[in-house]
């Protein structure tokens, strides 16, 4: 039997986000976020699905924490609904909203599970969007106030903090292709939004540092693209450079190095003169960080192309317009290989590339995989159990890659599986299942899939079984635990 161990203290967690699981959209003072508005706009979300009820975590959180404990998770990454704790995005907090998260945190701590808070996972209070949303500078200032308010309420018991989740999605899908809330489609706004998200991260980090004890660890979760060129042709290599700038360096440049690279400014100069970047912004954004979160699902394959029939949308579904500003002459291709239920190619080598890249470029900031997982078309067997061998294989190959990156020198300290529960998958509604725990969307009963049991064993032992053993675990299935 060959086993490979993870370092002592490695976090084996699972991740969720508020809008995708909480429900209780109009309870206890919560008001609409941009995702409530988007979902209730006909034609925006598949099947007209909404997060009004989601998987009702707002009422079932205690059972869900018990489930995490049963599955041996030692960390849980979740997001705060801004609209629940500061409904208009301004002014004082709503105590009932804060109390919900305080109870959740206390329950996690009581079960020995490290709580990891993400402040912003895409659900901007609607009133801030009405005032201009992320293309407006003031939204970054509001975010810093909100960060300070949440830190004041939970900072005595939570040590791990993430400012933003995947700012690329907020800017490019929300304001570029419009397939995410708020559904706007203006490529100049994408760049303004990206800068103000960066500024929100910087001002938010400063607000957290001011409000939290010195032991707090603060970071951000990006979804960098492992960009590859279709061929070695110089035109394709240049397409890769440009998408690397738009996907990655537009965020990690200011956050980690305090600059927007000159090629990014030049490539987008026909859309904007970047005058929204004010004196002092880059210094504000470039804050010391204790953690860099990397969310990874699949690589990105590009080429130069004048052929407008080739796709420009790179697997993020729907929408007439590409999310990518100034990239009409770049085509996106499907990486060869098996795909998940999202149509995303399974290729862990992209994760290795990214871990080694950020290991080299961050100057030693500890790395965490804050999201990784796959959507499968899971269905219960007649006896009620749910077998998901493909997910076990996916998790095995990606965890093995993490272990390899650690062996190659990367300082990776944790892995958060996306996701704990089947949930609301944004524009795809409830049609995609990312959970290791199956949720019956009618009864809301939870059933751990075989992958949950398999991951529980990895978390318990801190060891990854050999690939051949991994699939034997398919027989180890779970019982219904909560309904
Ligand atoms: O469900 C999302 C999550 O909210 C952000 N990262 C990607 C996941 C899968 O699409």
């Amino acid at each position: 039997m060959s086993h490979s161990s993870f370092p002592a203290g490695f976090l084996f967690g699972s991740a969720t986000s508020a809008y995708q699981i909480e429900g209780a959209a109009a309870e206890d003072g919560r008001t609409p976020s941009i995702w409530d508005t988007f979902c209730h706009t006909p034609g925006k979300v598949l099947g007209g699905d909404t997060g009004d009820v989601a998987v009702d975590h707002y009422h079932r959180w205690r059972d869900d924490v018990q489930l995490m404990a049963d599955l041996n998770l030692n960390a849980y990454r979740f997001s705060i609904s801004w609209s629940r704790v500061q409904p208009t995005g301004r002014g004082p907090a709503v105590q009932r909203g804060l109390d919900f998260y305080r109870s959740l945190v206390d329950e996690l701590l009581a079960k020995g599970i490290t709580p990891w808070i993400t402040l912003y996972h895409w659900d901007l209070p609607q009133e801030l969007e009405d005032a201009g949303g992320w293309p407006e500078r003031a939204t970054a200032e509001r975010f810093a106030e909100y960060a300070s308010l949440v830190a004041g309420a939970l900072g005595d018991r939570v040590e791990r903090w993430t400012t933003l989740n995947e700012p690329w999605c907020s800017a490019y899908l929300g304001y570029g292709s419009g397939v995410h809330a708020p559904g706007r489609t203006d490529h100049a706004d994408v760049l303004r939004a990206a800068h103000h998200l960066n500024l929100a991260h910087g001002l938010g980090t400063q607000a957290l540092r001011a409000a939290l004890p010195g032991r707090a660890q603060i970071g951000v979760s990006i979804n960098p693209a492992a960009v590859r060129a279709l061929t070695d042709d110089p035109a394709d290599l240049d397409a890769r450079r440009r998408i690397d700038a738009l996907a990655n360096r537009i965020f990690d440049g200011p956050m980690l190095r305090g600059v927007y690279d000159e090629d990014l400014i030049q490539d987008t100069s026909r859309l904007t003169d970047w005058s929204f970047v004010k004196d002092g912004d880059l210094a504000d954004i470039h804050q010391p960080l204790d953690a860099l979160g990397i969310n990874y699902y699949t690589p990105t394959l590009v080429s130069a192309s004048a052929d407008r029939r080739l796709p420009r949308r790179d697997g993020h579904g729907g929408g007439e317009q590409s999310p990518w500003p100034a990239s009409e002459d770049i085509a996106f291709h499907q990486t060869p290989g098996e795909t998940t239920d999202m149509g995303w190619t399974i290729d862990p080598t992209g994760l290795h590339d990214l871990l080694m890249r950020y290991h080299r470029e961050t100057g030693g900031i500890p790395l965490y995989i804050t999201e990784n997982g796959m959507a499968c078309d899971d269905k219960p067997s007649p006896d009620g159990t749910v077998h998901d061998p493909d997910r076990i294989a996916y998790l095995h190959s990606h965890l093995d890659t993490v272990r390899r990156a650690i062996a190659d020198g990367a300082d990776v300290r944790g892995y958060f599986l996306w996701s704990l529960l089947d949930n609301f998958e944004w524009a795809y509604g409830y049609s995609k299942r990312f959970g290791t725990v199956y949720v019956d969307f009618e009864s809301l009963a939870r059933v751990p899939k075989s992958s949950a049991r398999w991951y529980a064993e990895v978390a318990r032992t801190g060891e990854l079984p050999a690939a051949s053993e991994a699939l034997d675990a398919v027989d180890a299935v779970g019982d219904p635990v909560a309904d």
Side-chain angles (χ1 to χ4, degrees):
M1 251 202 314
S2 98
H3 285 108
S4 26
S5 300
F6 285 85
F10 194 83
L11 296 183
F12 289 100
S14 202
T16 63
S17 88
Y19 191 73
Q20 293 179 272
I21 62 165
E22 283 182 5
E27 276 181 52
D28 292 340
R30 185 184 179 283
T31 57
S33 74
I34 53 176
W35 269 97
D36 297 272
T37 307
F38 194 70
C39 289
H40 285 276
T41 306
K44 297 294 186 192
V45 173
L46 199 68
D49 290 346
T50 75
D52 289 359
V53 176
V55 296
D56 197 31
H57 172 74
Y58 190 73
H59 298 114
R60 295 166 192 249
W61 58 272
R62 210 179 283 278
D63 289 340
D64 289 340
V65 174
Q66 183 59 49
L67 200 48
M68 294 177 220
D70 292 345
L71 295 173
N72 304 325
L73 303 183
N74 61 15
Y76 174 51
R77 173 176 176 253
F78 61 98
S79 79
I80 306 278
S81 161
W82 190 343
S83 301
R84 198 178 287 293
V85 305
Q86 195 191 31
T88 60
R90 295 185 176 81
V94 168
Q95 193 56 43
R96 281 167 301 174
L98 290 174
D99 287 347
F100 167 68
Y101 294 107
R102 193 187 295 254
S103 304
L104 173 64
V105 163
D106 286 348
E107 188 75 3
L108 289 165
L109 291 171
K111 299 257 187 284
I113 300 170
T114 299
W116 186 312
I117 285 181
T118 299
L119 286 169
Y120 185 74
H121 195 123
W122 307 356
D123 44 357
L124 190 70
Q126 182 60 43
E127 292 204 18
L128 294 185
E129 171 59 22
D130 294 343
W134 286 112
E136 288 305 316
R137 184 179 186 84
T139 306
E141 291 159 1
R142 297 292 81 74
F143 176 80
E145 292 161 10
Y146 155 69
S148 166
L149 184 153
V150 180
L154 300 175
D156 59 342
R157 55 200 76 196
V158 176
E159 292 185 7
R160 310 280 189 147
W161 296 79
T162 290
T163 52
L164 309 177
N165 184 71
E166 300 183 358
W168 183 88
C169 294
S170 298
Y172 288 63
L173 303 180
Y175 295 92
S177 62
V179 298
H180 279 191
R184 286 160 60 180
T185 52
D186 180 323
H187 279 158
D189 278 346
V190 170
L191 302 169
R192 294 175 64 91
H195 176 63
H196 295 132
L197 283 153
N198 285 332
L199 188 61
H201 161 74
L203 298 177
T205 299
Q206 293 175 49
L208 291 175
R209 290 259 183 247
L212 293 172
R215 64 178 186 278
Q217 298 185 36
I218 302 170
V220 62
S221 284
I222 52 175
N223 58 321
V227 197
R228 288 148 184 193
L230 189 63
T231 73
D232 284 343
D233 187 288
D236 290 352
L237 295 175
D238 197 53
R240 180 180 70 185
R241 175 194 61 73
R242 285 165 56 194
I243 294 303
D244 179 53
L246 284 166
N248 303 330
R249 288 184 281 121
I250 191 170
F251 299 107
D252 66 44
M255 288 179 186
L256 302 176
R257 293 180 283 118
V259 293
Y260 284 113
D261 288 332
E262 196 49 41
D263 62 332
L264 169 68
I265 309 268
Q266 289 305 323
D267 291 346
T268 54
S269 60
R270 68 184 149 87
L271 292 172
T272 175
D273 60 5
W274 290 75
S275 56
F276 47 79
V277 181
K278 304 294 181 202
D279 283 354
D281 281 4
L282 287 165
D284 274 335
I285 297 168
H286 185 204
Q287 295 298 311
L289 296 180
D290 310 300
L292 180 67
I294 292 174
N295 296 359
Y296 175 79
Y297 292 89
T298 189
T300 301
L301 186 60
V302 300
S303 70
S305 174
D307 181 353
R308 296 192 60 87
R309 288 167 305 175
L310 286 171
R312 265 126 189 103
R313 286 187 270 104
D314 81 343
H316 280 286
E320 292 302 312
Q321 165 150 288
S322 160
W324 301 97
S327 304
E328 295 77 10
D329 54 346
I330 295 176
F332 289 81
H333 305 268
Q334 182 87 30
T335 304
E338 285 180 35
T339 57
T340 70
D341 201 34
M342 296 295 280
W344 297 346
T345 302
I346 301 169
D347 183 350
T349 63
L351 178 57
H352 190 267
D353 291 353
L354 291 169
L355 290 173
M356 297 319 294
R357 170 181 178 161
Y358 285 103
H359 167 62
R360 282 191 306 272
E361 292 184 0
T362 56
I365 301 175
L367 305 176
Y368 294 83
I369 292 90
T370 41
E371 282 186 27
N372 177 240
M374 81 180 280
C376 303
D377 186 17
D378 302 309
K379 293 192 170 54
S381 307
D383 66 358
T385 57
V386 184
H387 297 268
D388 54 346
D390 292 347
R391 184 175 285 106
I392 293 177
Y394 181 102
L395 296 176
H396 186 281
S397 63
H398 287 75
L399 279 162
D400 193 42
T401 296
V402 174
R403 199 197 42 75
R404 209 156 45 79
I406 295 171
D408 292 342
D411 184 7
V412 188
R413 300 199 185 171
Y415 175 92
F416 290 81
L417 193 160
W418 185 270
S419 182
L420 177 69
L421 302 163
D422 289 336
N423 60 46
F424 175 78
E425 177 54 25
W426 308 113
Y428 295 89
Y430 296 97
S431 68
K432 304 292 178 196
R433 293 182 178 273
F434 272 94
T436 53
V437 173
Y438 183 86
V439 179
D440 177 325
F441 292 130
E442 293 297 316
S443 68
L444 298 173
R446 277 87 157 130
V447 181
K449 304 175 190 176
S450 35
S451 63
R453 299 293 179 196
W454 177 83
Y455 186 58
E457 212 34 33
V458 177
R460 188 183 66 78
T461 59
E463 292 185 343
L464 194 61
S468 56
E469 288 170 45
L471 289 175
D472 295 344
V474 171
D475 290 333
V477 291
D479 305 317
V481 285
D483 55 24

